[in-house]
Amino acid sequence: MRTLELLSPAKDLECGIAAIDNGADAIYIGAEKFSARAAAGNSLTDIERLVRYAHQYGSKVYVTVNTIIYDEELENVRQLIKDLHDIGVDALIVQDLAILDMAKDTPCPPLHASTQMDIRTVEKVRWLYGLGFKRVVLARELTLEEIAEIHEAVPEMELEVFVHGALCVSYSGQCYASQYCFNRSANRGNCAQFCRLKFNLEDGNGNTLLANKYLLSLKDMNRLDRLSDLAKAGVASFKIEGRLKDANYVKNVTAAYSQQLTSLISRCPNDYKRVSYGKSECDFIPDLNKTFNRGFTSYFLDGRGEQIADFDTPKAKGEYVGNVKSISERYFIVSGIASFSNGDGLCFVNTHGILEGFRVNRVEGNKLFPHSMPEGLFVGAQLFRNNDENFQKNLASSQTKRKIAVAMRFAETDNGFMLTMTDETGREASDTIELKKDMARLPQCDNIKRQLLKLGNTVFCADDVEIQMSAEWFVPSAMLSDLRRRVCEQMLEMPLSTEKDATSVKTSEIQPFVHPKQKTYDYLANVSNALSAKYYVAPCSSFEVRQPHDKKLIMQCRHCILWSLGQCRKQKLSADTKRFDADDLYLALPDKRRFKLEFDCNNCRMNVFVE
C-alpha cells in the first residue's frame, strides 16, 4: 500500500485554505524571503495559521526556501528554518545545500530537493538520498520511462512530479537568461520570463528565417489523465504549479485533480491510499479548460511526439467556443453550440498572427455585443474564451468545505449520558454529562440527533447518531450542544498520526558531486556561499555572483525549435523544404541582441548561448 499526495500551490493563506478545502493533501507556500517566487511571500503568522488549518485534515504544509543564498544571508536563513521548524511546517523545499549543512546543528524540518537543483538522473537522486533528502522534485522534462528508472534505482526516495501548470523552457535551475538580460535572477526568485518574449530566428548573416514568433514559449502542462501511469512509475506526490495564481485557479485545478486521484484509488484500493483525510463535496464542476492556460501538453511524458510550444502567443487562449459567422456594426454572430454571458472574455488570432482579446458587453443568444468592436475581427475567425464570467463567479462564491466523517454514539451512564465520536482516521473521543434521569413527555430521539448532528461549523460530519437509552429520558438541548462541542474539541486536539517526519541529514563524510557540464561551465552548480561549496567538486561561484565573461550557456532545453518547425536533423524533409543550417542559427530580440543556438542531437537537447 503506497500513499499518494496531491500537492497544491498557495500564493497566500486564502489560496492555501482553498486548496485544502478542495482536496489537497499538501500545500507548498513561500516565506517572506528566499522563495523562488519572490512576489508570493508570506509571514510566519500566516504560515502558522495555514499549518493549523491543514493539520486538521492530516494535510501537510511545505515551505519553499529554494533560492540560492549569499554568504551574508546565511544567518538570516538559519533563523528562518528554525522559525519554520518551531511553527510545525512539514518540510522545506530547498535549492541551496547550505540549508542541508545548517540542518546538522539547527532545528529544521525534513528537506525536499527542489526541481531548481536540476534533478534528472539516477546519479543525482542517489547522491541527494545519501545526503539525507527525504524527497526530490524531478525535472519536468523527464519521460515516464526515466521516472520509473529513477524509482527502481532509488526506491527509498520519494518522487514528486509536476502534473499541471506553466512550463519553464529551460531545465529548472539552469536558466540564466533573465539574470544576463535584465539582472533579475531566476535562481533568486525574480525571473523576468525571457522565454515568453518575441524573437526572430536568424542565420549567421542576420537573415530572418522566421519573424516575430514566441519561439521559446511552451504550452501549459496537463497530466490529469496520466495519474495512474505516474503512480505506477513510482511517483508519490503530484504537484500543481501556480504560486502566483489566484484562489479561483487553485480551487478549480485542485478539485479536478483531487477527484481524479480519488477515482484512481477507488479502482486500486489495495495499492494506494491518500495521505490526508476528509472529503470535499464541491459545489461546482471543475473544468481545466475554463482556467488560465496556454493550451495543454503532457510534455515529454511519452517522449518527443506532440507539439509542446505555441509560437503565436504566450498568453492564455482558453477554450474554443466557435467561429465568427457574420459581423455587423455593433455586434457579431457566432456559429457553434457554446453559450455566452455578459462579461465573458474572448480572443482570436487576427490575420497578422497576433492574438486580440476583448470583453463581451451584452449577449443575445449567439449574437454578441462587444464593449468595442475589435478591429481585426473577420468572418471565419476561431474564437476562444479565456474568461468564463459565470464559471468564475461560481468559483468565487463557492462554499466547498472538507469534512471528516465520524460515527456518533449517545448512551446513558449510571449518572447521566455519554457521547462518543470515532472518525475515519481511527481517533476516538468521548465526554459525559451528569444529569438526573427524568422521563420526557415527548419522544427524545429526534431532538437528540438534531442537536448532536449540528456539526456545520466543524471539520466533522455525520449521517446519524446511534442512541442507546433504556427509556425516553429528557435531555436539555443546551446540554447536548455543549457535550457535542466538547467532544469535537477533544478530537481536534488529537494528532491525526503519531508519526512525525524527522530531519535525516547524514553527518558522514561528504561525497562531492560533479555536475555533468561543470568542467566547461562551472557556474551551473549554482554555488553562491561557502557552506554549499564543499558539496561540489571544484565549484566556482554561481552565474549571479561571478557573471562569467567567456562563452555563456544561459539555457539548457529539451524543447527543440528545429523539431517544432519540422527541421529535425534526424528526420527526412520533403523535397520542397529548405533545410536550415542548424550550426548557424540565432534567436534575435527586437533590440538586436542575439543568442546562439546549439543543437545537441545525441542527447536530443537544445542549448542557448550568449553570442
Side-chain angles (χ1 to χ4, degrees):
M1 176 77 67
R2 288 176 46 220
T3 55
L4 301 181
E5 172 188 276
L6 176 61
L7 177 57
S8 292
K11 178 175 67 174
D12 51 27
L13 177 61
E14 178 193 4
C15 289
I17 290 174
I20 295 294
D21 285 345
N22 285 277
D25 298 298
I27 302 297
Y28 65 107
I29 189 170
E32 286 184 322
K33 293 182 178 179
F34 310 113
S35 164
R37 295 288 184 271
N42 293 271
S43 68
L44 288 172
T45 300
D46 277 357
I47 294 174
E48 184 175 16
R49 290 172 62 190
L50 182 57
V51 167
R52 289 200 301 269
Y53 191 83
H55 285 183
Q56 295 178 107
Y57 304 96
S59 295
K60 298 184 177 182
V61 176
Y62 308 140
V63 177
T64 55
V65 189
N66 56 341
T67 64
I68 57 173
I69 303 163
Y70 297 152
D71 280 305
E72 62 271 18
E73 298 170 330
L74 290 174
E75 289 311 306
N76 288 337
V77 173
R78 187 185 297 274
Q79 183 61 50
L80 175 62
I81 66 173
K82 181 182 181 302
D83 291 340
L84 292 170
H85 172 273
D86 291 346
I87 66 175
V89 305
D90 298 284
L92 303 183
I93 303 173
V94 305
Q95 174 182 189
D96 200 305
L97 288 174
I99 296 176
L100 181 82
D101 207 68
M102 294 175 190
K104 295 175 181 178
D105 56 18
T106 302
C108 180
L111 299 179
H112 297 176
S114 170
T115 191
Q116 290 293 119
M117 292 189 75
D118 184 25
I119 306 168
R120 45 178 143 155
T121 64
V122 168
E123 292 74 22
K124 186 74 170 280
V125 173
R126 185 176 287 123
W127 177 67
L128 291 169
Y129 179 74
L131 291 177
F133 279 92
K134 173 181 172 57
R135 176 186 294 186
V136 293
V137 187
L138 296 178
R140 293 169 172 87
E141 290 82 358
L142 297 189
T143 65
L144 205 59
E145 184 178 350
E146 289 167 332
I147 294 168
E149 180 187 2
I150 290 171
H151 175 64
E152 291 169 9
V154 197
E156 306 87 355
M157 179 69 92
E158 291 182 6
L159 302 183
E160 181 177 303
V161 168
F162 280 93
V163 293
H164 196 88
L167 287 164
C168 300
V169 71
S170 173
Y171 284 95
S172 293
Q174 303 293 282
C175 180
Y176 309 97
S178 181
Q179 173 68 34
Y180 174 77
C181 291
F182 310 108
N183 200 31
R184 290 175 53 180
S185 169
N187 283 315
R188 296 278 292 171
N190 287 301
C191 175
Q193 295 198 305
F194 174 86
C195 57
R196 304 297 181 187
L197 298 179
K198 187 182 290 186
F199 296 94
N200 286 348
L201 182 65
E202 296 181 351
D203 63 18
N205 296 319
N207 298 314
T208 298
L209 306 175
L210 196 63
N212 298 319
K213 292 294 182 180
Y214 299 93
L215 296 171
L216 297 178
S217 185
L218 302 185
K219 298 177 183 179
D220 286 358
M221 181 185 285
N222 181 343
R223 292 173 172 174
L224 183 68
D225 297 328
R226 305 302 299 275
L227 300 190
S228 177
D229 295 330
L230 288 165
K232 289 176 183 176
V235 173
S237 180
F238 306 97
K239 187 172 193 172
I240 298 168
E241 183 276 339
R243 277 199 298 125
L244 296 178
K245 299 292 197 304
D246 62 16
N248 279 4
Y249 176 94
V250 172
K251 290 177 185 179
N252 187 34
V253 180
T254 299
Y257 276 88
S258 181
Q259 291 176 13
Q260 189 81 341
L261 193 54
T262 296
S263 176
L264 166 62
I265 292 172
S266 70
R267 298 194 305 271
C268 309
N270 297 320
D271 299 326
Y272 310 120
K273 64 179 181 179
R274 295 287 287 266
V275 172
S276 60
Y277 302 97
K279 186 177 181 181
S280 299
E281 296 286 357
C282 288
D283 53 5
F284 63 93
I285 299 174
D287 186 342
L288 297 178
N289 291 310
K290 293 182 180 295
T291 290
F292 182 97
N293 70 83
R294 300 177 176 88
F296 288 128
T297 172
S298 63
Y299 210 30
F300 290 102
L301 205 56
D302 299 309
R304 194 181 297 279
E306 62 176 319
Q307 283 289 356
I308 63 173
D310 185 344
F311 290 170
D312 290 326
T313 178
K315 298 178 181 179
K317 283 184 180 177
E319 58 179 337
Y320 168 73
V321 289
N323 287 43
V324 176
K325 183 177 181 180
S326 62
I327 301 175
S328 297
E329 184 178 349
R330 295 186 302 108
Y331 65 87
F332 61 92
I333 296 176
V334 181
S335 62
I337 60 173
S339 59
F340 300 91
S341 302
N342 297 345
D344 277 356
L346 302 180
C347 60
F348 65 98
V349 178
N350 66 24
T351 54
H352 300 291
I354 298 172
L355 189 72
E356 283 192 52
F358 60 94
R359 184 78 68 173
V360 176
N361 199 41
R362 182 162 55 91
V363 173
E364 294 179 4
N366 62 345
K367 184 185 294 186
L368 308 185
F369 295 79
H371 179 69
S372 59
M373 187 66 74
E375 292 183 7
L377 194 66
F378 59 95
V379 172
Q382 286 190 325
L383 287 174
F384 299 87
R385 176 162 48 198
N386 51 20
N387 181 72
D388 187 319
E389 189 71 6
N390 273 347
F391 187 76
Q392 293 301 323
K393 285 180 178 178
N394 288 340
L395 283 178
S397 61
S398 167
Q399 298 298 313
T400 296
K401 293 298 179 185
R402 184 167 171 177
K403 297 290 183 178
I404 296 175
V406 294
M408 305 178 76
R409 186 176 70 255
F410 183 78
E412 64 180 278
T413 64
D414 291 341
N415 301 317
F417 301 91
M418 172 186 286
L419 174 63
T420 302
M421 286 175 54
T422 306
D423 74 7
E424 63 186 83
T425 75
R427 295 180 300 179
E428 184 172 284
S430 61
D431 207 341
T432 60
I433 51 175
E434 291 188 10
L435 182 67
K436 180 183 176 182
K437 294 175 183 171
D438 293 323
M439 290 294 293
R441 282 183 271 180
L442 298 172
Q444 289 293 289
C445 286
D446 286 349
N447 185 59
I448 291 172
K449 290 183 179 183
R450 184 164 52 250
Q451 299 306 322
L452 295 181
L453 289 173
K454 290 181 178 178
L455 296 166
N457 60 345
T458 72
V459 301
F460 304 113
C461 68
D463 295 325
D464 199 7
V465 181
E466 180 186 354
I467 298 178
Q468 298 174 350
M469 291 196 306
S470 60
E472 292 285 351
W473 303 122
F474 174 71
V475 186
S477 295
M479 296 186 75
L480 290 168
S481 297
D482 188 56
L483 181 61
R484 181 199 66 233
R485 178 187 55 78
R486 296 201 309 269
V487 175
C488 286
E489 289 175 352
Q490 282 187 46
M491 290 282 280
L492 289 174
E493 290 172 359
M494 296 178 182
L496 281 172
S497 172
T498 57
E499 296 181 9
K500 181 67 178 176
D501 293 334
T503 308
S504 177
V505 176
K506 305 296 191 295
T507 56
S508 57
E509 183 178 350
I510 297 169
Q511 296 296 321
F513 187 76
V514 181
H515 190 282
K517 290 181 176 285
Q518 194 168 328
K519 289 184 179 180
T520 308
Y521 309 104
D522 52 18
Y523 53 83
L524 296 182
N526 292 329
V527 172
S528 57
N529 61 71
L531 289 184
S532 60
K534 58 188 175 185
Y535 288 91
Y536 293 94
V537 174
C540 196
S541 297
S542 66
F543 191 99
E544 290 81 357
V545 172
R546 187 165 68 93
Q547 284 285 338
H549 295 292
D550 51 357
K551 184 182 180 184
K552 304 179 187 70
L553 171 65
I554 60 169
M555 272 191 178
Q556 298 179 64
C557 312
R558 205 163 196 169
H559 163 56
C560 176
I561 289 175
L562 285 182
W563 188 91
S564 295
L565 294 174
Q567 288 273 343
C568 176
R569 291 195 287 189
K570 293 183 177 181
Q571 296 175 338
K572 185 177 180 180
L573 302 186
S574 59
D576 57 346
T577 301
K578 181 180 179 181
R579 187 179 288 277
F580 295 159
D581 182 359
D583 295 321
D584 200 25
L585 289 179
Y586 297 80
L587 294 178
L589 287 171
D591 63 7
K592 306 303 181 183
R593 281 184 290 182
R594 299 211 311 170
F595 304 88
K596 181 77 167 68
L597 298 178
E598 175 192 84
F599 298 94
D600 179 2
C601 294
N602 289 332
N603 294 303
C604 206
R605 295 181 189 134
M606 180 181 75
N607 295 321
V608 182
F609 292 87
V610 175
E611 186 180 17

